[in-house]
Amino acid sequence: LAVPTEQHPIVHIRMAADRGEKATLLYVAEKSTGWQRVEFSLTADGSVRSYNLDLGHRPDWLGNVLLLGLRVSDDPAANVTLDTIELSAAPAGPPDVRVRYFGRAEGVNRIGRPASIVAVLENHGGAPAAGLSATIRAPGLNVEAPAERMLEPLAYGQMRHVTWHVTGGHEGRFPIHLSIMGSDVTDAPLISATASLELTPVPDVPAGDYIPEPQPAETRYEVGAYYFPGWHAMSRWHPIRGFPERKPVLGWYDEANPEIADWQIKWAVEHGIRFFLVDWYWHQGGRHLEHWLHEAFAKARFRSYMKWCVMWANHNAPGSHSEDDWRAVTQYWIDHYFSDPQYYQIDGRPAVFIWSPGNIRRDVGGSENAEKLYAISQEMARRAGHKGIYFAAMFDHENAHAAARLADEGYHGTTSYHGFGPVAARLGRRFPFAEVVEHGPTLWREETERNAGRMDYFPIVDTGWASEPWHGPSALTITGRTPELLGKLCREARRFVDAQGTNRITLGPWNEWGEGSYIEPYAEYGFDDLAEVRRAFCEPADYPPNLVPADVGRGPYDLPELEMTTAWEFDQPNDLRGWSGTMIDGLAVTGGLLTGSSIGNDPILNAPPISVDAEQYRRLVVRMKADRDTVAQVFWGTATSGHSERASVRVPVPGDGELHDLVFHLDANRNWRGEVVSLRFDPACHADVAFAIQSLRFE
């Protein structure tokens, strides 16, 4: 081939397959090296389907396309009919509506209370789908009228949520059927899906003025789960709302609320989880995402039931670790955390888990210098009255040499945030959770052998990964994760530690809603994940009922909806207008300005929800100032592609402390097209930049 990528950002494939999880597009472009691969999810129902792959944002889709290939299915027994492969300037093909999710919208549903059923429809075809109607049938339940809903036209890449409310008068599991009718839907006249809704009795709970006290489950295992404190603003939740199956039972909550922490503590300890490893961020003294720890957990009534420890997510910019900084971070732990009776200890020492030992080693000139830093921490902790610090490595232990190096540097244990890396290396960016379950014991055994008795090893039980809310169609996605498979992995972990004569296990994240790793009660499976954790690690007992806020007259906790707009001014004190920050210290609104300081080289401001027609708005104007010369960058995502460097524009920022209008010419980028649904603004590309923004507006 010799097809220019600049004019052809879309590859449209139209085919039918009856088996398989995924297909793979392969290509060679003249400005990249070797075969490139793009995996995409198959709808393996035997019907002809459209797959429009948006490659314009990929860094290797450059120059002319020279070769093109298609691996039609990952199942060798699949029957495939290939109709079209087309390099196109725009999405192509007839309407092709699919049901992305159909099921309950609340994790727990009670007899006599309204329950929500939601269908998420998505058009994968290039042409709009019009004349659609959606109808549900729910035998044994009362369906709020009308059961049939006429739908607005659905453009390419758009998702439509259709919600019904049902009630039932008796306990049981009820089937619910969805029918999508319309001559333009697909080649067939009908799309259908089936789900079920379980109704349970309202628990008999003694009257009280607050959440009932936790009743911890008895267990001889030390089970900890990672906790990501990233859910303090509706702008953070907005990308997750397109995935209603992930909605927490607590709703779209403000994580700084102590009552939220009390529910989380109650649910965790009643299912055998003893401690949280809290993602913690420090960059040369700058900290962020502390709202859960410093506001919610610190003020929670039930905090005495739960332990916690630092998991320092030190994926910091090069050059950020030093001896002075190491002394400062150690002193901060000593002054603020280690004396907390709820701080988790191992062998009588406060535990600190380090995400990347390699970053420390990189910045201080190798292992010998890193060893000196850990020794400094031990001495400082002992002088403060502690037995020392138990350091555990989260990363960088992929072979026996690395394990020996970590032990020499001063680590006492190792674990990881996820364990599916070897599976992804073998199977690509889309594979079933059953493969993770199958591989888990092998990973744990190999890690134990590498450690060779030098350090403790805590097996990791993955809680999934499907990061579409953050990364769109390019996300790494583990499919088919069910509570039953999670329970099987938990039982394997129990057998593993029993055989090793240990009892400490780490669970994947409790609440990584964007990355798709979570077990906190949620819409699709309610408490089923936690029930499997308890079944694996706790003694049989008459456990208390799983309560939700409505059972005791609490909640709802949903944050207020955000206004859809194309311009933002910060003229109201303390009103962030829905914007939120990552790697930014002191984000605040004062004097008509949104102000903050960058932590590291990648500070991020996440915009509230947007829906912008790229044809109508051609540029973004940001009025801002900074105290040093830097570069600002704006990223955007569409319904079919996430944020990427190829979908971004940079503008220099003078460091003179004066307000300037920065003009981002978005239409100069070929990926500024279609409906833009998300916006990210990086106000600087350096650490320690103080900035102030007066306004942002699309023009």
Side-chain angles (χ1 to χ4, degrees):
L1 305 177
V3 180
T5 59
E6 192 74 25
Q7 288 78 42
H8 301 86
I10 304 294
V11 176
H12 170 234
I13 300 164
R14 189 156 171 79
M15 67 179 184
D18 65 352
R19 294 187 185 186
E21 285 266 344
K22 63 184 177 184
T24 306
L25 177 75
L26 303 102
Y27 61 88
V28 174
E30 62 183 355
K31 293 188 178 181
S32 59
T33 302
W35 283 103
Q36 310 300 323
R37 291 169 172 79
V38 178
E39 296 178 352
F40 57 97
S41 173
L42 275 180
T43 301
D45 59 1
S47 299
V48 178
R49 297 292 189 179
S50 285
Y51 303 91
N52 281 288
L53 308 181
D54 188 346
L55 306 184
H57 65 286
R58 289 179 60 95
D60 46 41
W61 190 254
L62 292 172
N64 284 340
V65 179
L66 306 179
L67 294 168
L68 201 65
L70 180 65
R71 186 171 294 136
V72 294
S73 175
D74 58 343
D75 190 326
N79 295 299
V80 178
T81 301
L82 180 60
D83 180 89
T84 302
I85 303 179
E86 175 184 7
L87 285 84
S88 172
D96 186 355
V97 172
R98 303 175 205 172
V99 180
R100 200 195 63 74
Y101 173 73
F102 177 56
R104 58 187 181 179
E106 291 95 20
V108 175
N109 297 280
R110 304 297 194 197
I111 297 169
R113 292 181 187 161
S116 299
I117 302 297
V118 62
V120 182
L121 311 178
E122 187 172 16
N123 182 14
H124 291 253
L132 304 182
S133 66
T135 306
I136 67 165
R137 292 185 301 105
L141 298 173
N142 298 314
V143 180
E144 176 190 57
E148 180 181 5
R149 308 287 175 84
M150 299 305 298
L151 307 179
E152 294 293 321
L154 199 59
Y156 164 72
Q158 279 191 328
M159 286 195 294
R160 181 89 73 243
H161 291 217
V162 189
T163 303
W164 294 264
H165 299 291
V166 302
T167 55
H170 61 274
E171 184 176 3
R173 186 176 292 274
F174 300 87
I176 302 176
H177 307 279
L178 171 70
S179 298
I180 308 294
M181 299 297 296
S183 58
D184 290 339
V185 174
T186 62
D187 294 337
L190 174 69
I191 298 173
S192 63
T194 301
S196 65
L197 179 73
E198 183 180 16
L199 292 182
T200 55
V202 177
D204 183 13
V205 182
D209 61 356
Y210 195 61
I211 306 166
E213 287 277 332
Q215 300 179 50
E218 290 190 17
T219 176
R220 62 186 181 85
Y221 298 96
E222 291 285 320
V223 179
Y226 296 109
Y227 189 100
F228 174 62
W231 311 107
H232 54 293
M234 184 55 89
S235 58
R236 296 287 294 174
W237 285 113
H238 180 66
I240 320 302
R241 297 188 67 180
F243 299 80
E245 67 274 23
R246 302 189 187 194
K247 183 178 182 180
V249 165
L250 291 171
W252 311 115
Y253 52 75
D254 178 2
E255 207 169 35
N257 181 352
E259 194 164 319
I260 296 298
D262 277 329
W263 279 113
Q264 294 169 328
I265 292 166
K266 177 179 174 65
W267 292 337
V269 301
E270 289 184 347
H271 292 86
I273 297 173
R274 293 282 190 86
F275 65 101
F276 283 144
L277 300 95
V278 180
D279 292 11
W280 189 81
Y281 301 85
W282 168 288
H283 185 279
Q284 296 179 322
R287 308 184 314 278
H288 67 291
L289 296 185
E290 293 181 326
H291 47 271
W292 183 84
L293 183 60
H294 288 194
E295 295 296 322
F297 184 78
K299 300 173 183 176
R301 296 189 194 183
F302 301 153
R303 70 186 311 272
S304 63
Y305 288 92
M306 191 75 180
K307 301 291 186 181
W308 74 278
C309 64
V310 164
M311 195 287 283
W312 184 12
N314 68 320
H315 22 247
N316 297 351
S320 59
H321 302 89
S322 66
E323 180 175 331
D324 287 344
D325 187 66
W326 192 263
R327 290 181 181 275
V329 71
T330 302
Q331 193 62 51
Y332 190 89
W333 296 333
I334 292 170
D335 291 344
H336 295 86
Y337 298 151
F338 288 172
S339 295
D340 180 355
Q342 299 314 118
Y343 196 87
Y344 186 66
Q345 296 187 354
I346 299 176
D347 299 335
R349 292 168 288 175
V352 173
F353 289 71
I354 306 289
W355 172 266
S356 180
N359 285 356
I360 299 164
R361 192 181 307 124
R362 171 201 67 197
D363 287 350
V364 300
S367 287
E368 288 188 7
N369 290 332
E371 181 180 349
K372 294 176 183 176
L373 298 188
Y374 299 108
I376 288 170
S377 290
Q378 298 295 356
E379 178 60 28
M380 291 176 66
R382 284 192 288 268
R383 285 203 309 268
H386 304 283
K387 288 178 61 177
I389 301 173
Y390 186 102
F391 283 110
M394 296 281 302
F395 208 60
D396 194 29
H397 47 280
E398 68 281 353
N399 55 48
H401 172 71
R405 180 173 57 192
L406 288 170
D408 290 343
E409 286 177 352
Y411 284 92
H412 309 93
T414 67
T415 187
S416 53
Y417 202 73
H418 293 290
F420 56 74
V423 182
R426 176 167 52 90
L427 296 179
R429 297 189 63 77
R430 189 176 183 88
F431 51 88
F433 191 72
E435 291 281 351
V436 179
V437 176
E438 183 70 23
H439 179 75
T442 300
L443 171 74
W444 307 332
R445 183 175 62 253
E446 289 174 349
E447 292 292 349
T448 301
E449 291 170 354
R450 288 168 185 155
N451 282 337
R454 301 182 187 95
M455 297 176 289
D456 302 324
Y457 174 67
F458 316 139
I460 174 66
V461 174
D462 278 301
T463 56
W465 183 278
S467 60
E468 294 98 325
W470 295 159
H471 306 126
S474 64
L476 190 154
T477 302
I478 301 177
T479 61
R481 198 208 74 167
T482 65
E484 291 76 18
L485 284 172
L486 177 66
K488 180 179 179 182
L489 189 58
C490 287
R491 292 188 293 276
E492 292 285 357
R494 181 191 65 205
R495 283 190 283 270
F496 179 84
V497 295
D498 285 349
Q500 298 293 319
T502 61
N503 72 337
R504 191 169 284 108
I505 295 127
T506 50
L507 297 178
W510 166 270
N511 63 335
E512 249 293 10
W513 307 107
E515 291 182 350
S517 304
Y518 47 85
I519 54 175
E520 179 183 320
Y522 58 102
E524 187 174 17
Y525 289 121
F527 284 83
D528 292 355
D529 289 342
L530 288 182
E532 292 291 344
V533 172
R534 183 165 65 189
R535 190 172 293 119
F537 299 118
C538 299
E539 304 299 324
D542 184 17
Y543 294 115
N546 291 320
L547 300 180
V548 298
D551 293 335
V552 292
R554 311 299 296 182
Y557 301 107
D558 295 275
L559 285 161
E561 297 288 344
L562 294 173
E563 174 192 6
M564 281 278 198
T565 185
T566 56
W568 301 268
E569 293 184 353
F570 303 98
D571 50 4
Q572 299 296 319
N574 303 317
D575 184 0
L576 298 178
R577 296 292 308 278
W579 288 79
S580 62
T582 302
M583 298 299 289
I584 292 175
D585 188 33
L587 189 64
V589 172
T590 181
L593 298 170
L594 176 67
T595 62
S597 298
S598 59
I599 300 174
N601 298 340
D602 195 24
I604 296 169
L605 287 170
N606 295 295
I610 65 170
S611 178
V612 173
D613 182 352
E615 287 294 321
Q616 182 178 358
Y617 296 94
R618 303 299 182 90
R619 63 183 194 165
L620 180 72
V621 180
V622 181
R623 186 162 180 77
M624 69 170 286
K625 62 183 178 180
D627 68 348
R628 64 177 283 196
D629 289 347
T630 187
V631 174
Q633 188 172 11
V634 61
F635 298 80
W636 60 87
T638 69
T640 58
S641 63
H643 297 168
S644 69
E645 286 291 330
R646 294 289 298 278
S648 72
V649 174
R650 299 170 184 259
V651 170
V653 182
D656 57 7
E658 300 292 330
L659 287 169
H660 297 271
D661 283 335
L662 309 181
V663 181
F664 295 82
H665 292 280
L666 305 172
D667 58 350
N669 186 306
R670 67 179 183 178
N671 289 307
W672 182 253
R673 51 189 163 83
E675 182 192 12
V676 177
V677 298
S678 64
L679 185 72
R680 162 184 159 180
F681 180 65
D682 293 9
C685 66
H686 304 100
D688 303 318
V689 176
F691 64 87
I693 300 171
Q694 186 179 75
S695 63
L696 304 95
R697 66 182 186 276
F698 284 104
E699 295 182 346

